[in-house]
Amino acid sequence: MAKQVSKTYGSALFEVAMENNTLDTTLEEVLFVKQTFLENEDLNKLLLHPNIEKEEKIKVLENIYKGKISDELTGLMVMMVTKGHQKDFLSVFDYVIHAIKEEKGIGVAHISSAIELSKAQKDKIEQKLLETTKYQKIEGIYHVDESLIGGLVIRIQDIVVDSSLKTQIAKLSKSLVE
């Protein structure tokens, strides 16, 4: 259900941004609003509290965001509160961010390594990803996972490339057991 909600509302905002040629502005606004939600636990509690009326929640949102973000984004959040879907704000924001980045040819790569990578290593990985994917730009999100022992695990959307020693050892162990 949450996926359907995020797709429905996220697609609507994305389509409006496409029609109005405001992808960059919409992306900035959604990132800003998402960050305020992540940083403000009290706002989340207020919006999710069952004893606070929807009208009061809408007033709070309008007081915080009116004039700081587009009427389309404010209107989307108001509509979601009206329909009781405020718990899905973050998933809707993530959907919109993903859709805009895809439209703009920006790939988000989650890259895990056993040790911290140097800037030169990161640049080389991102360059290789640009050469082997459809993206014009790569945003690398790097994680250190010492359990990998060595190598890399790269995930872009649903595609995972696992060249870690941990996985290679596990495959070798499995084949030796067989």
Side-chain angles (χ1 to χ4, degrees):
M1 176 74 176
K3 273 194 168 193
Q4 186 62 35
V5 170
S6 62
K7 183 177 180 183
T8 301
Y9 289 105
S11 294
L13 184 60
F14 174 74
E15 292 301 322
V16 169
M18 286 288 290
E19 288 174 17
N20 295 341
N21 199 25
T22 58
L23 288 176
D24 291 331
T25 306
T26 301
L27 180 59
E28 287 175 24
E29 289 178 352
V30 171
L31 288 168
F32 164 73
V33 174
K34 180 181 176 184
Q35 192 62 37
T36 62
F37 275 91
L38 291 174
E39 292 174 354
N40 193 334
E41 197 173 312
D42 292 337
L43 177 58
N44 291 316
K45 287 179 182 176
L46 179 131
L47 291 173
L48 295 174
H49 199 286
N51 295 332
I52 297 176
E53 296 295 322
K54 289 179 182 178
E55 294 76 21
E56 197 61 37
K57 294 175 183 180
I58 290 169
K59 283 182 190 175
V60 168
L61 285 174
E62 288 176 340
N63 286 337
I64 294 171
Y65 295 111
K66 200 80 165 163
K68 295 180 184 164
I69 60 173
S70 66
D71 291 342
E72 291 83 5
L73 183 51
T74 306
L76 178 86
M77 291 191 298
V78 166
M79 184 186 320
M80 288 180 70
V81 169
T82 302
K83 302 277 187 181
H85 293 296
Q86 61 272 19
K87 69 183 180 313
D88 297 309
F89 276 160
L90 291 177
S91 64
V92 170
F93 299 153
D94 286 341
Y95 183 94
V96 173
I97 292 165
H98 173 76
I100 292 174
K101 286 183 178 182
E102 279 293 309
E103 180 65 27
K104 296 177 66 57
I106 301 169
V108 178
H110 295 267
I111 302 159
S112 298
S113 60
I115 59 169
E116 186 69 35
L117 299 174
S118 69
K119 170 128 176 58
Q121 290 170 317
K122 291 176 181 179
D123 290 344
K124 189 174 180 179
I125 291 167
E126 290 174 17
Q127 185 58 43
K128 189 68 172 171
L129 290 173
L130 286 172
E131 293 169 6
T132 57
T133 64
K134 64 182 179 180
Y135 299 108
Q136 290 92 42
K137 182 179 177 191
I138 294 289
E139 288 181 1
I141 300 171
Y142 293 88
H143 312 277
V144 173
D145 180 355
E146 294 174 359
S147 74
L148 297 178
I149 307 168
L152 299 172
V153 177
I154 301 172
R155 182 178 58 83
I156 301 177
Q157 293 184 2
D158 296 337
I159 300 168
V160 177
V161 177
D162 187 343
S163 66
S164 68
L165 289 177
K166 176 182 178 180
T167 299
Q168 291 176 24
I169 291 169
K171 286 179 182 176
L172 182 59
S173 292
K174 184 177 178 184
S175 68
L176 288 174
V177 169
E178 293 173 358

